[in-house]
Amino acid sequence: MFGPDVTFLGVERCDIGAPESYADADVVIVGAPFDGGTTNRPGTRFGPTAMRQACYLEHDGSRPSLALRTDGLRDLKVYDAGDVEMFSGDIERALGALEEAVAAVAASGAIPLVLGGDHSITLPDAKGVARHHGYGNVSMVHFDAHADTGEIEFGSLYGHGLPMRRLIESGAIRGDRFLQIGLRGYWPGPAVLSWMAERRMRSYEMSEIVARGVDECLTEAFGIAVDGCEGVFLSVDIDVVDPGMAPGTGTPEPGGLTARQLLDAVRRCCLELPVVGVDVVEVSPPYDHADITAYLGNRVVLEALSAIARRRGGEPWDPRQPLLDGR
């Protein structure tokens, strides 16, 4: 909807309205250029275009991973369906259109990978996936500085601080299979935290992550995520990363993960978990500097695709394995 009509790093196009155009897809990329749910700084409507283009290499539909020895754009059949039409002045219509698009991709057997957009889009993304895999049968691993479990914003039930509450209320995702990584700062307050506790959500605040280590927290979260659920939805809010490394976002909160920690965590998620849907949200180019945040969003997508390809290949992966050893 905004900017040049390009696909993600040059992959093939498809049309959501023509299922035959992605019948052989492993992954379908969908743009969700929407910031009508933003409460602070807007601009995430430009996120999908920025993430599609943010790379200094040729946009040739190929990206071999040095670490994983896979090419996520070629070892998988990846299509880009372009952007869903999402008018920021009508949030219910916009989110409904996105849910239908994601549900169509999931029904085809492919993994929907959605480029946001503000975090309100995770409500239709996860609901669309759950419509295919079964309500209550998909868990959520959610990287974010914020819980996004508010009750109401500006008189609306929809917004980027509310989608996780709406998801749990809908029954699409179980509260006791909802894992949040990287929370910090000064919101939400006691009433919202009480609601979360009653739904048995598990939230790993940054102080706990620092004390225990990211890997230990992820291992614990993964065990919960696959207990009684056949699929996992991965939602990555770029503001989980410290704003020094990801300034282009609407609600920056100091003290987050490093970019390296996020990329390693996303890699682990897609290597070790049965991921059935992904979204990357809250990249806001107007507040970015030198495309730092857009590049990170692009690399989050590539880490996910590379790891999914490695998992499907069935080969174990040892991060200590050297790329080259000329001794």
Side-chain angles (χ1 to χ4, degrees):
M1 289 180 62
F2 304 100
D5 183 16
V6 297
T7 65
F8 184 85
L9 299 182
V11 301
E12 294 181 54
R13 297 176 185 272
C14 70
D15 181 353
I16 292 293
E20 66 276 9
S21 69
Y22 54 96
D24 61 340
D26 295 304
V27 177
V28 175
I29 294 171
V30 178
F34 183 78
D35 55 14
T38 303
T39 56
N40 189 35
R41 307 190 306 196
T44 56
R45 68 181 68 186
F46 306 113
T49 295
M51 285 187 277
R52 284 184 173 112
Q53 299 181 88
C55 191
Y56 52 84
L57 298 170
E58 183 180 0
H59 291 195
D60 59 355
S62 174
R63 285 298 181 275
S65 167
L66 289 178
L68 292 170
R69 319 293 170 82
T70 59
D71 187 331
L73 299 183
R74 290 194 173 174
D75 295 342
L76 300 172
K77 192 63 178 177
V78 181
Y79 291 97
D80 191 331
D83 291 344
V84 174
E85 185 176 278
M86 302 183 74
F87 173 49
S88 289
D90 189 342
I91 191 168
E92 292 190 53
R93 187 182 80 184
L95 298 185
L98 180 58
E99 182 177 333
E100 292 304 317
V102 171
V105 172
S108 76
I111 296 173
L113 197 160
V114 185
L115 307 177
D118 70 45
H119 220 154
S120 60
I121 71 164
T122 295
L123 173 60
D125 291 345
K127 285 180 67 179
V129 168
R131 281 168 53 178
H132 175 67
H133 293 279
Y135 271 37
N137 200 35
V138 177
S139 60
M140 173 75 75
V141 175
H142 168 210
F143 289 86
D144 205 330
H146 312 98
D148 292 352
T149 48
E151 183 175 4
I152 194 166
E153 286 175 350
F154 306 133
S156 175
L157 294 173
Y158 304 101
H160 75 164
L162 314 174
M164 308 316 174
R165 182 183 286 239
R166 299 289 94 86
L167 269 175
I168 293 171
E169 290 175 341
S170 75
I173 306 290
R174 292 166 47 180
D176 63 349
R177 294 297 178 270
F178 213 113
L179 296 311
Q180 299 185 306
I181 314 292
L183 303 190
R184 60 190 187 275
Y186 300 90
W187 185 88
V192 173
L193 291 175
S194 293
W195 183 92
M196 294 166 63
E198 289 168 4
R199 273 71 188 173
R200 298 174 59 197
M201 297 178 71
R202 181 64 169 96
S203 300
Y204 294 85
E205 197 264 343
M206 278 303 302
S207 295
E208 180 179 358
I209 291 172
V210 170
R212 298 179 60 191
V214 177
D215 283 339
E216 182 178 328
C217 292
L218 288 177
T219 298
E220 182 178 284
F222 290 0
I224 299 169
V226 298
D227 182 10
C229 291
E230 296 181 5
V232 178
F233 191 97
L234 172 62
S235 184
V236 179
D237 186 328
I238 209 70
D239 73 22
V240 73
V241 172
D242 190 274
M245 294 185 177
T249 194
T251 48
E253 185 63 55
L257 297 176
T258 66
R260 181 71 262 161
Q261 286 174 316
L262 175 61
L263 294 174
D264 287 345
V266 168
R267 179 189 295 168
R268 274 198 66 188
C269 287
C270 294
L271 276 172
E272 300 179 27
L273 297 173
V275 171
V276 293
V278 180
D279 63 24
V280 183
V281 303
E282 298 289 351
V283 173
S284 185
Y287 291 94
D288 209 358
H289 172 71
D291 298 329
I292 292 171
T293 315
Y295 267 89
L296 179 57
N298 177 281
R299 270 26 184 186
V300 168
V301 173
L302 286 176
E303 284 293 335
L305 293 172
S306 300
I308 291 169
R310 181 78 183 212
R311 177 181 172 89
R312 292 194 176 187
E315 297 181 30
W317 180 69
D318 183 353
R320 297 168 297 182
Q321 180 182 2
L323 176 65
L324 297 171
D325 188 350
R327 291 177 297 175

